[in-house]
Amino acid sequence: MSPRRSYDQYCSAARALDALGDRWTLLIVRELLAGPRRYTDLHADLPGVSTDVLASRLKDMERDGLATRRRLPPPGAANVYELTARGRELLPVLQALGEWGAPLLAERRPTDAVRAHWFALPLLRSLEGLGDGLVQVRLDEGEFYVRLGAPDGPVYGEGPAPEDPDAGLSLDAEACTALARGDLALLDAVRDGRITVTGESPLAKTLREA
């Protein structure tokens, strides 16, 4: 395992960057906020990372107490990585970073990769304060779900929700990007028909009627 690199400064920001400042680390955290992930899944959803760098970052995250590795029981029987409680505390850090970077989301560049679930964290922020529940989200690029009010554990996941969602949202990536940039308010987007809401739960009614 490589030795820890440090700024050697007695400053909380410097200490945080000792653990998180390496390229790819925070994006690995973004992926693991979806719950346990196999190495191959992480590599597939982090286009551009080399296998050596990904393996090195995961080892560093284990050493720093941000992630753990365990083996799933049969029939899964695969090694997965997941965030520790300390790692999950990085959710608001990533959301703040995403909010700061949202104005940089101008036109999508031809070289830009995209995954549907990359919109989960900014959308989660837009949904805060509207109630607790499970929300299924459908974009042209794919689908994912978010958990509102989850005290711990995964805050989003790829694909269909594991149980019946409390509400469904259908929108395009353009609307989701506008939400992330702050150019569009979620409830305004619902009223204007840019987001379609399904479901009859209190959360779905709040989204439709607010």
Side-chain angles (χ1 to χ4, degrees):
M1 186 175 295
S2 60
R4 176 193 290 275
R5 289 178 291 181
S6 175
Y7 288 102
D8 291 325
Q9 296 179 14
Y10 192 65
C11 161
S12 59
R15 289 286 197 267
L17 287 171
D18 284 346
L20 299 170
D22 282 331
R23 182 171 167 84
W24 296 106
T25 300
L26 279 173
L27 295 185
I28 295 172
V29 173
R30 178 196 67 192
E31 297 302 312
L32 292 180
L33 282 166
R37 303 289 301 276
R38 297 179 302 171
Y39 176 90
T40 52
D41 296 330
L42 287 171
H43 191 258
D45 281 334
L46 290 167
V49 70
S50 71
T51 54
D52 289 345
V53 167
L54 179 56
S56 176
R57 296 295 180 270
L58 288 167
K59 287 179 181 178
D60 290 344
M61 291 173 67
E62 288 185 83
R63 175 187 61 195
D64 293 333
L66 301 176
T68 60
R69 180 176 56 171
R70 64 182 173 90
R71 189 160 185 83
L72 294 176
N79 290 321
V80 294
Y81 294 88
E82 58 190 335
L83 292 177
T84 62
R86 177 75 168 162
R88 289 193 297 273
E89 289 174 357
L90 289 166
L91 171 60
V93 175
L94 267 174
Q95 288 183 304
L97 187 63
E99 186 174 9
W100 183 87
L104 303 175
L105 290 176
E107 292 185 10
R108 181 179 165 191
R109 296 171 297 199
T111 55
D112 282 343
V114 67
R115 302 286 188 274
H117 68 270
W118 292 348
F119 292 98
L121 296 187
L123 187 60
L124 188 67
R125 189 176 67 245
S126 297
L127 289 164
E128 286 176 352
L130 296 178
D132 296 345
L134 183 64
V135 180
Q136 181 73 52
V137 183
R138 292 179 177 84
L139 304 178
D140 292 339
E141 289 78 9
E143 59 182 330
F144 59 89
Y145 57 92
V146 294
R147 295 185 183 275
L148 308 182
D152 52 32
V155 295
Y156 77 92
E158 294 183 82
E163 61 258 15
D164 289 339
D166 297 286
L169 299 180
S170 296
L171 66 163
D172 58 26
E174 181 182 355
C176 218
T177 301
L179 288 171
R181 284 199 305 255
D183 298 339
L184 181 66
L186 185 136
L187 298 182
D188 288 342
V190 173
R191 282 192 289 267
D192 293 344
R194 297 189 65 180
I195 298 177
T196 301
V197 180
T198 57
E200 298 300 326
S201 72
L203 176 60
K205 291 178 180 178
T206 296
L207 288 166
R208 275 198 298 267
E209 300 169 3

